[in-house]
Amino acid sequence: MIISTNKRLSKFKLLPIALSILPFTATANSNVVHDAEYYILEAQNGKVWEVEDKDLDAKLAELAEEYGTPPNIVHFMWDDQPMGAIGVPAIQQSRGYDTPNLNQMADEGMLFSRMYTEPSCTPTRAAALTGQHPIRNGMYRVGFPVEYHGISEESVTTANILSDAGYATGFFGKAHLGDIEESYMHNQGFDVAFAAIYNQVASIWNEQGESANATIGFKDSVLAPDPYHLDDTYMSDDIVLFYEGHKGQQAKEWCGVSLDCYNQFDQEAERRALEFIETNAAAKQPFYVAWWPQWVSFIPEQQKSSRQRGIVGDAYQNNLDPSAGALMDTLKKAGIEENTLVIAMADNGPMTHNPPAGLGMGEGLFRGGKGDFTEGGVRVTAQAWWPGMIEPGQTVGDIIHVTDLYTTFARLGNATENIPDDRVIDGIDQTSLLINGDTHGRRDYVHIYSGDKLGATVKKHYKMHWINTDPTAASGIGSTYYDLLNDPREQSPLLVNMVMHGNSFARMRERHEMMMQKYPNKEAGQGPAYTGMELLNPDTKEISEPLIFIE
Amino acid sequence: MIISTNKRLSKFKLLPIALSILPFTATANSNVVHDAEYYILEAQNGKVWEVEDKDLDAKLAELAEEYGTPPNIVHFMWDDQPMGAIGVPAIQQSRGYDTPNLNQMADEGMLFSRMYTEPSCTPTRAAALTGQHPIRNGMYRVGFPVEYHGISEESVTTANILSDAGYATGFFGKAHLGDIEESYMHNQGFDVAFAAIYNQVASIWNEQGESANATIGFKDSVLAPDPYHLDDTYMSDDIVLFYEGHKGQQAKEWCGVSLDCYNQFDQEAERRALEFIETNAAAKQPFYVAWWPQWVSFIPEQQKSSRQRGIVGDAYQNNLDPSAGALMDTLKKAGIEENTLVIAMADNGPMTHNPPAGLGMGEGLFRGGKGDFTEGGVRVTAQAWWPGMIEPGQTVGDIIHVTDLYTTFARLGNATENIPDDRVIDGIDQTSLLINGDTHGRRDYVHIYSGDKLGATVKKHYKMHWINTDPTAASGIGSTYYDLLNDPREQSPLLVNMVMHGNSFARMRERHEMMMQKYPNKEAGQGPAYTGMELLNPDTKEISEPLIFIE
């Protein structure tokens, strides 16, 4: 890769050069194949980054010397909270809940004002573990039982690359990345896994839940007889919600399908996650933990714990926040808090499409929520905590994307060389942002996918909606353009301004798609569900097989 | 007033008792006639408040002994910013501006998450100075030149009651309370006044402004000839924008009508405000200052100072925030920062009805803005700073209303006895909230007027919209009901829940209206504009007179 330091270098000249050599050369520091936009930035900023990187390497080496290991990494991720939901008392007062532990973590660390995710659970989780927009590996659909689908064995996850670099790797919580054998977390690079296959819907997959949801109807068994009924397999009780497993071994179903099991799951995940941390800390073994609690039950508790008394406020105040406190306590007790990076964040924006609003779901500062490609869908609460390395009390304005965790964790774990070079990695190494602070991010853009369609692209604080079918939204030329600082709710498309910026956005998209042609998108894994697993319920076998495929 | 400590006291019994004796008796501590709802709260909490009040009196007496005067009071108020706009870095990063001085003030003091104002400039300013919802004194319309209308001579303002208690009183900035003689700030109790009669529209009342607004057309003089033109007085250049005055003396027009004058006005107001503070501090004279800068010019600067580069972000970052810094510096330099309460706040929600969004105007966390009775219109950024008396770092969830400043300032200045007892005062003494902190507020309700109509009523975190004409908003029974913690944007009216709370709200409204029958609303002042003033432009006289009245 030829790095030009000439900021005035014509982008029209740069583009063909970059595209022709990208697949065959590495950047200065790695073999990673980035998306096209990154090379535009690197060509302009690479020399500065190189200098920064040397300083960062020295800092990390110093820390490694002190602790005898590279830093531990904890990725603590939960569901559905917008930017500002954590660490901002004015917003929490307005929503009626309080998270003192997470707020303390934010105060002692770095609060991100522009952490972008994918628009929903499964895509974000896949993005975090693969460093790729899920369009590239087929993981852009939200999984529900039974799906015969999941993250493929060709995936090279954070757990894979950190394992190969000598890390102990543990997964605890909601995976939501498929129900086929290859998708189990211990088959995706984790040494140990204790995982929920699907999502919070599990909490209503039982008779108590059904009573509240019968008009939708999850379970035929408790519904009134339907004389038009032909298919018993459309909905089935004989599913698997939880499993445990070790790398190279068969999985075991855990507990079963009941509200009791659901309610015990997060506590058990917490117990195992903290034990995993303690054990590895004691052994001076560097570790990577993905602890992704689900906590929000769709069956409201009778006794409320938050002023909001919605299931969201209650669950986060009463359950999530103490978990975050226990995490910090455990790290401090083990004496490794200054050698451990904690990223705490939500996986997408708030649920806003499920009335009644009385569930604590609702928009934050931005328009839209989970599932949407407006900022409300993808701009989440997120923070980094690493005492001694991250300067406390920062609220940073840099753009960061959930895929950046992949490349950043790789950098911190000396595992960048383990990143595969046969695919585009959307993630960018953001170590400099973490350690050097505000304005040291290396990304000024984000592509936002809505399923398998490109929904929008952000550059700086401008945003192009590629999809807009509102006949009054000035989208006659195919897209609408917004200024996020002046119109954070994306309500007033700017037509005149688009005249100036439209082609810059069009070029970004062309480059992005040209890279996709060079590195074609892959499919997710497909097959029978629940193979490679010891099942508690013998009837599960029936639903697990997509009969069409059976000989 | 009989205070019952029986929390189970039937409200049905209390109501007739309260209504029959209210006008003729004082509460334990004052002669103030409150609105009905206050007495409901006092009957249940009065005994606790009495104990608190004794402690507060002791604390204030101790401070007075130390400084030799009761506390100074500075009410620093500007235009159009929603809750969270100040003191919340995550929101400022998302909007692209920064106010380090105001944020420091918030960090060192108390940030309000529920400061309610009236929905626009004139009503809020009238409410702050009279302690009344403007419906009670006719000040519910936003003034534009020329209005023949203003705050009446029967008003008893904060300046009146504090003057009578021995305070020096100064007004500096945007009054926006009328253009008739009785409405001038030095005729409303202030010892000195340096005031803008109208609002920021003054910034476009000149040729440069006109060039940007010609299609709307403020000034006939620069518009193309209109062959249908009949009336030269509909718009006139011969208006007055600024004046200065001393109590008991004639006003003098200041500077004139030009962009230069507009641009100098805020700087001159700042100079005079700070000088006023210094002079009185040196004389150990307690003072009350209403410093209400306008700052936002509608003619954008060519050179931008904020990342947002909207006129709002630019003006607040570049002009307002340094003023707040100068205020704190001046108080510290005079050694009186621990004997001075500063309330810093916006006067209503953000402008959201004026495209393009590129002006930095736009919704915050709540729906709607200036002019609306949704939370977005009336829930503003607000903070209190009083080192040594207010515990730093608080974000409080109590409801406070701009009228409460009237009664609270009166209490602090030993001027409660000066509050007139011939009218309802909507303001409530919130000294306990300031000094005792979160949860010590004395208000759990707010009535929100939209002009002269009751738009909505808030109780706790529930809100009833009395006006809703959306045929799909479940408003068939005349109103819609929202849960603000779970639905802060007031988008999902709750019909079933209203069944439980509807009548409680209906009773609140009935009580409120019954008090209004006992204490009927008054009209604002009316008359020729600009009398009692030395005019710079002899032609002003013509527009100043509503010819219909002239003999």
Side-chain angles (χ1 to χ4, degrees), chain A residues 177-297:
Chain A
L177 287 168
D179 55 14
I180 57 176
E181 185 169 350
E182 61 197 287
S183 73
Y184 305 159
M185 290 293 96
H186 57 287
N187 296 337
Q188 287 287 338
F190 286 97
D191 297 328
V192 297
F194 178 72
I197 297 183
Y198 308 109
N199 57 14
Q200 284 77 358
V201 168
S203 65
I204 37 178
W205 208 278
N206 59 74
E207 294 188 3
Q208 188 181 337
E210 187 63 17
S211 69
N213 291 279
T215 51
I216 299 167
F218 288 103
K219 294 176 66 184
D220 285 342
S221 58
V222 297
L223 300 175
D226 175 358
Y228 309 104
H229 183 87
L230 295 176
D231 182 0
D232 282 338
T233 71
Y234 174 68
M235 279 289 175
S236 168
D237 287 358
D238 304 322
I239 59 173
V240 179
L241 296 181
F242 310 109
Y243 65 84
E244 52 193 327
H246 287 83
K247 194 181 271 180
Q249 295 178 20
Q250 203 179 39
K252 282 185 198 172
E253 183 179 2
W254 181 84
C255 196
V257 182
S258 74
L259 188 58
D260 268 358
C261 292
Y262 180 86
N263 286 337
Q264 289 166 40
F265 173 75
D266 271 314
Q267 290 160 47
E268 181 63 16
E270 171 167 331
R271 196 187 63 69
R272 294 186 189 209
L274 297 179
E275 190 180 271
F276 182 87
I277 290 171
E278 283 161 0
T279 306
N280 284 292
K284 290 193 174 299
Q285 163 65 44
F287 60 82
Y288 159 62
V289 169
W291 177 10
W292 296 351
Q294 49 184 13
W295 278 132
V296 174
S297 164

Side-chain angles (χ1 to χ4, degrees), chain B residues 439-485:
Chain B
T439 73
H440 288 87
R442 295 189 177 177
R443 174 194 282 281
D444 72 345
Y445 72 96
V446 171
H447 292 298
I448 304 172
Y449 274 84
S450 177
D452 59 355
K453 302 277 184 296
L454 186 60
T457 295
V458 171
K459 177 90 170 179
K460 294 162 60 93
H461 48 266
Y462 306 111
K463 184 167 182 177
M464 187 74 91
H465 288 194
W466 300 113
I467 301 171
N468 195 321
T469 56
D470 176 356
T472 67
S475 61
I477 61 167
S479 49
T480 50
Y481 173 86
Y482 303 86
D483 172 340
L484 294 175
L485 291 178

Side-chain angles (χ1 to χ4, degrees), chain B residues 249-285:
Chain B
Q249 294 179 18
Q250 204 177 39
K252 281 185 199 171
E253 183 179 1
W254 181 83
C255 198
V257 182
S258 74
L259 188 58
D260 267 359
C261 292
Y262 180 85
N263 287 336
Q264 289 167 40
F265 173 75
D266 271 314
Q267 290 160 50
E268 181 63 16
E270 171 167 332
R271 196 188 63 71
R272 294 186 188 208
L274 297 178
E275 190 180 88
F276 182 87
I277 290 171
E278 283 161 359
T279 307
N280 284 292
K284 290 195 174 296
Q285 163 65 44

Side-chain angles (χ1 to χ4, degrees), chain A residues 83 88 90 93-96 113 307-309 357-358 360-361 363 379 395-397 461-462 483 485-486 488-489, chain B residues 83 88 90 93-96 113 307-309 357 360-361 363 379 395-397 461-462 483 485-489:
Chain A
M83 198 287 289
V88 182
Q93 283 283 28
S94 303
R95 298 305 309 273
S113 67
R307 280 198 301 126
Q308 180 190 84
R309 76 270 185 259
M361 301 162 174
E363 282 182 359
R379 209 157 142 189
T395 301
V396 301
H461 48 267
Y462 307 112
D483 172 341
L485 291 178
N486 285 287
R489 295 185 57 78
Chain B
M83 198 288 288
V88 182
Q93 283 283 28
S94 304
R95 298 304 309 274
S113 68
R307 280 198 299 126
Q308 181 191 84
R309 75 269 184 260
M361 300 161 174
E363 283 182 358
R379 210 156 140 188
T395 301
V396 300
H461 48 266
Y462 306 111
D483 172 340
L485 291 178
N486 285 288
D487 179 22
R489 295 186 56 78

Side-chain angles (χ1 to χ4, degrees), chain B residues 79-80 119-126 142 174 176 347-348 370:
Chain B
D79 281 75
D80 304 355
S120 46
C121 294
T122 299
T124 288
R125 284 152 205 266
V142 179
K174 170 180 164 181
H176 207 182
D347 65 347
N348 47 245
K370 185 170 189 162

Side-chain angles (χ1 to χ4, degrees), chain A residues 308-373:
Chain A
Q308 180 190 84
R309 76 270 185 259
I311 58 172
V312 172
D314 267 17
Y316 290 152
Q317 174 169 311
N318 206 33
N319 299 327
L320 177 75
D321 189 59
S323 292
L327 171 60
M328 288 191 291
D329 285 349
T330 300
L331 294 171
K332 285 176 189 164
K333 216 167 139 192
I336 54 170
E337 78 273 24
E338 297 201 349
N339 196 38
T340 304
L341 167 65
V342 177
I343 300 285
M345 63 185 287
D347 64 347
N348 47 245
M351 288 190 79
T352 54
H353 299 283
N354 279 42
L359 295 171
M361 301 162 174
E363 282 182 359
L365 201 60
F366 304 116
R367 185 157 67 94
K370 185 170 189 160
D372 301 332
F373 59 80

Side-chain angles (χ1 to χ4, degrees), chain A residues 22-243:
Chain A
L22 280 187
F24 314 109
T25 59
T27 66
N29 294 313
S30 83
N31 52 320
V32 177
V33 179
H34 291 284
D35 197 7
E37 203 63 16
Y38 175 81
Y39 295 103
I40 303 295
L41 302 183
E42 194 190 45
Q44 299 172 75
N45 301 280
K47 283 285 175 202
V48 174
W49 293 351
E50 214 175 291
V51 174
E52 280 179 4
D53 281 334
K54 270 188 198 151
D55 289 348
L56 292 171
D57 285 341
K59 245 183 198 163
L60 291 168
E62 203 179 309
L63 190 74
E65 189 148 346
E66 190 181 339
Y67 284 89
T69 72
N72 307 300
I73 296 164
V74 179
H75 185 201
F76 185 69
M77 185 164 71
W78 61 89
D79 280 75
D80 304 354
Q81 278 193 326
M83 198 287 289
I86 302 291
V88 182
I91 291 178
Q92 294 195 337
Q93 283 283 28
S94 303
R95 298 305 309 273
Y97 64 89
D98 186 21
T99 58
N101 291 293
L102 282 162
N103 291 4
Q104 180 197 331
M105 193 191 276
D107 288 345
E108 294 176 0
M110 171 178 284
L111 193 69
F112 298 101
S113 67
R114 301 191 75 183
M115 169 66 92
Y116 287 86
T117 60
E118 302 295 320
S120 44
C121 293
T122 299
T124 288
R125 286 152 205 266
L129 286 188
T130 64
Q132 298 184 299
H133 286 303
I135 183 71
R136 301 196 193 276
N137 52 44
M139 291 301 292
Y140 47 79
R141 280 209 318 268
V142 179
F144 288 87
V146 176
E147 49 173 328
Y148 306 142
H149 178 275
I151 186 170
S152 76
E153 58 185 348
E154 288 84 35
S155 299
V156 180
T157 70
T158 316
N160 289 127
I161 60 176
L162 287 174
S163 273
D164 290 349
Y167 275 61
T169 55
F171 184 91
F172 309 95
K174 170 179 162 179
H176 207 184
L177 287 168
D179 55 14
I180 57 176
E181 185 169 350
E182 61 197 287
S183 73
Y184 305 159
M185 290 293 96
H186 57 287
N187 296 337
Q188 287 287 338
F190 286 97
D191 297 328
V192 297
F194 178 72
I197 297 183
Y198 308 109
N199 57 14
Q200 284 77 358
V201 168
S203 65
I204 37 178
W205 208 278
N206 59 74
E207 294 188 3
Q208 188 181 337
E210 187 63 17
S211 69
N213 291 279
T215 51
I216 299 167
F218 288 103
K219 294 176 66 184
D220 285 342
S221 58
V222 297
L223 300 175
D226 175 358
Y228 309 104
H229 183 87
L230 295 176
D231 182 0
D232 282 338
T233 71
Y234 174 68
M235 279 289 175
S236 168
D237 287 358
D238 304 322
I239 59 173
V240 179
L241 296 181
F242 310 109
Y243 65 84

